[in-house]
Amino acid sequence: ENYKVHPNPFNTEITIDIGFLEEKEFRLYNPIGELVLSGVLNSQISIIDLSSLAPNVYILNIENQSIRLIKTK
């Protein structure tokens, strides 16, 4: 699968486009591998609020695809 995530780097939220209508689980990890957020994407395009996260590099995992995200101040 090829999921689109934007913007990257992000400030407050990300938009995830999974390309079709099917439920997908997502997980977001911090740089030391701790799970900071998880949930289910239940529409083709989902907006995830990440404003509470500290500026850092995060790894978004959807199914078997990992995407490196950078949160700015």
Side-chain angles (χ1 to χ4, degrees):
E1 309 296 338
N2 199 8
Y3 309 113
K4 298 182 181 83
V5 179
H6 58 88
N8 190 16
F10 69 95
N11 180 281
T12 57
E13 62 187 25
I14 57 171
T15 300
I16 303 173
D17 182 350
I18 60 174
F20 48 86
L21 189 57
E22 183 181 334
E23 283 194 355
K24 299 284 183 187
E25 288 187 12
F26 75 90
R27 290 181 171 81
L28 188 70
Y29 297 93
N30 67 14
I32 58 172
E34 296 172 329
L35 181 66
V36 293
L37 184 69
S38 65
V40 175
L41 305 171
N42 53 17
S43 61
Q44 181 176 338
I45 297 175
S46 302
I47 297 173
I48 311 294
D49 180 4
L50 300 175
S51 58
S52 63
L53 297 179
N56 212 330
V57 176
Y58 295 90
I59 301 298
L60 175 67
N61 185 271
I62 305 170
E63 302 256 294
N64 294 325
Q65 183 174 342
S66 294
I67 301 164
R68 184 172 172 261
L69 301 174
I70 299 170
K71 168 138 190 202
T72 58
K73 293 181 181 177

